[in-house]
Amino acid sequence: MSDSATRTPYLLCALLGLGGLLFGVTGPLLSNFIPPIVRGVLGEERTLIGLVLALDNVIMFVLVPWSGSLSDRFHARGQGRLPIVLAGLVLAAVGMAVLPASPALGLAGLLGAMVVLYAGINLMRAPFQALVADLVPSRFRSFATGSVTFQMCVGAIVFLMLGRLLGMGPAFLIAALSVLGIALAFLLGVREARDGRAEAEAAEEPTFRALFGAVGAVARGTVPGLRAIFMAALLLQVTFQGFASWFVLHGTERFGGRPEDMSVGFIAWAMGGVAGALPAGFIGVRMGRRNAMLAGFALMAASFIALDRVTTLGPATALLALASASWTLPAVNAYPLFIEPVPQERRGVLAALFVLCLALGGGIGDPLNGALFDLQGSYRSLFVVLAGYTAAAFVAVLLVPRGAGEAGTGQLAADQGATKVQ
């Protein structure tokens, strides 16, 4: 075996990790500033505010499957997925640059800037995920996704601080320049191999038919382990969304502090993500993806049970950092396990399905948790609920057959049934 096949491609993984930096750069700023921007334009029309804030999800569910399928077509034609990724990055940079000034043009200006921004971010999601699988040898994909997660968490911390220190305008401008820098780095550093083996008829399949075919394959369990890992990824996102959406309300009720005091919990979670992301990738490479996910879910469940028992915010922040570091184990290894058995010519549409799975987890988590808290009349059970989701995800990973989705098994799966996910 050659050295190139056994040596960890650190530089490539660091370069591709910049895709995660994009989400770390944009996500915190958008979460912090877009709601007040929209309220400033619409006033206290809360229903309208909610409709405008839902624009991101609408664009995601339209663009992600379309761009994923389009990237499969580009790949089949020898054009590669990178042009779509670069187009998305440029659109996102333009949207970030113009968004702070857009309210001066009224609602139409604001909506136009948001459409450009969200179109750019969602255009590149699925092609970027597929590109990671295309470029990184199977054995090292967990480390590559660890690099993506690491840079996302670092970017979130840095740009949260910039937003507070500099205000919206300068922070958004720096973010736009950063996104352009990511696009330039990809343009100069990423080289895609042209693969003539892709099937032209699959590449020309209508977008949503391809997506529905992929959903059907997952639902039927056509590819061993794919349905179980889909459920585990869904529950992982439900768990994360539960913390992100409800911790402030839980903390103020339970610990008696102000809402702003609960920000230390989010900082602890981000720091845990930074500390755990790269080790999670190494563990996935050394121990196997399935084992790494099982260990992560077990540690998360233990952390949440402990969080339910502590009585002050100080110990809770330490346990939240541990829970987040544990979260990186399934978060980093889920996508490599999911995408491994997928033939290269179908990775775009299956990457889109994975992205939409995470979006679905976020979408169902909030109303589900809200209903549970309504039944109890309290937010006190938050971490018990999260431990329950985590335990269910642990069981889902147990249902993944040993060896399925592990490094080096993908080509065999592709050779045995390239049409199984169509």
Side-chain angles (χ1 to χ4, degrees):
M1 186 177 292
S2 67
D3 288 344
S4 61
T6 59
R7 191 169 53 241
T8 304
Y10 292 109
L11 184 59
L12 175 61
C13 291
L15 177 63
L16 292 174
L18 293 173
L21 183 62
L22 164 74
F23 300 110
V25 165
T26 57
L29 293 180
L30 299 183
S31 297
N32 276 273
F33 289 108
I34 280 198
I37 289 175
V38 174
R39 186 178 63 182
V41 172
L42 295 176
E44 294 300 332
E45 298 290 338
R46 294 177 178 85
T47 301
L48 288 177
I49 290 173
L51 289 173
V52 172
L53 293 179
L55 185 62
D56 181 21
N57 290 321
V58 173
I59 292 174
M60 174 186 291
F61 278 96
V62 172
L63 272 188
V64 165
W66 178 78
S67 63
S69 181
L70 183 66
S71 78
D72 285 339
R73 299 184 193 185
F74 274 38
H75 169 75
R77 298 169 184 169
Q79 297 168 294
R81 308 182 199 272
L82 185 61
I84 305 174
V85 174
L86 293 176
L89 289 168
V90 171
L91 281 175
V94 171
M96 290 296 288
V98 303
L99 184 68
S102 64
L105 300 177
L107 181 60
L110 174 61
L111 289 176
M114 291 176 67
V115 167
V116 171
L117 174 57
Y118 288 136
I121 292 172
N122 289 297
L123 182 67
M124 59 85 65
R125 284 183 187 270
F128 170 71
Q129 293 277 20
L131 188 63
V132 172
D134 286 352
L135 295 180
V136 179
S138 172
R139 179 182 175 185
F140 303 110
R141 284 181 194 146
S142 289
F143 184 69
T145 54
S147 175
V148 171
T149 303
F150 173 80
Q151 296 196 46
M152 179 181 68
C153 292
V154 170
I157 293 171
V158 170
F159 277 84
L160 276 172
M161 295 172 61
L162 283 176
R164 294 188 65 177
L165 290 174
L166 302 179
M168 179 176 62
F172 270 71
L173 180 59
I174 294 171
L177 293 174
S178 299
V179 174
L180 284 178
I182 294 169
L184 181 62
F186 279 177
L187 179 64
L188 297 178
V190 172
R191 295 291 179 267
E192 291 184 84
R194 305 309 183 195
D195 187 353
R197 296 175 300 172
E199 299 179 12
E201 62 270 20
E204 296 300 333
E205 186 176 7
T207 298
F208 288 98
R209 182 186 299 173
L211 182 67
F212 293 147
V215 171
V218 171
R220 294 189 304 271
T222 304
V223 180
L226 203 61
R227 180 168 54 195
I229 194 61
F230 183 93
M231 288 304 303
L234 181 72
L235 287 164
L236 178 67
Q237 189 63 22
V238 169
T239 303
F240 174 77
Q241 191 69 35
F243 163 73
S245 298
W246 301 99
F247 175 69
V248 170
L249 295 174
H250 168 87
T252 52
E253 176 184 279
R254 180 177 172 190
F255 301 120
R258 301 170 300 167
E260 51 266 37
D261 295 334
M262 299 306 116
S263 64
V264 297
F266 294 103
I267 294 171
W269 188 278
M271 294 301 294
V274 170
L278 295 180
F282 277 118
I283 291 170
V285 171
R286 298 297 182 186
M287 291 178 49
R289 297 161 182 169
R290 180 179 181 272
N291 290 337
M293 292 186 69
L294 288 172
F297 281 127
L299 286 171
M300 283 177 69
S303 301
F304 290 144
I305 291 170
L307 277 160
D308 184 63
R309 306 297 171 85
V310 298
T311 57
T312 58
L313 187 57
T317 56
L319 286 168
L320 281 171
L322 176 61
S324 176
S326 305
W327 164 83
T328 62
L329 284 163
V332 163
N333 289 284
Y335 177 69
L337 188 64
F338 182 88
I339 206 68
E340 182 69 29
V342 177
Q344 188 174 14
E345 64 269 17
R346 307 297 297 169
R347 282 178 185 156
V349 72
L350 265 293
L353 181 59
F354 186 82
V355 171
L356 293 179
C357 166
L358 299 183
L360 179 63
I364 67 178
D366 283 342
L368 175 60
N369 290 327
L372 291 173
F373 297 143
D374 266 341
L375 287 174
Q376 300 165 35
S378 169
Y379 304 105
R380 178 64 181 82
S381 65
L382 172 64
F383 289 111
V384 174
V385 171
L386 298 186
Y389 295 144
T390 305
F394 182 91
V395 173
V397 178
L398 278 179
L399 296 176
V400 177
R402 291 183 183 275
E406 297 294 352
T409 63
Q411 189 56 52
L412 177 61
D415 291 341
Q416 289 177 339
T419 62
K420 287 184 177 180
V421 294
Q422 295 184 22

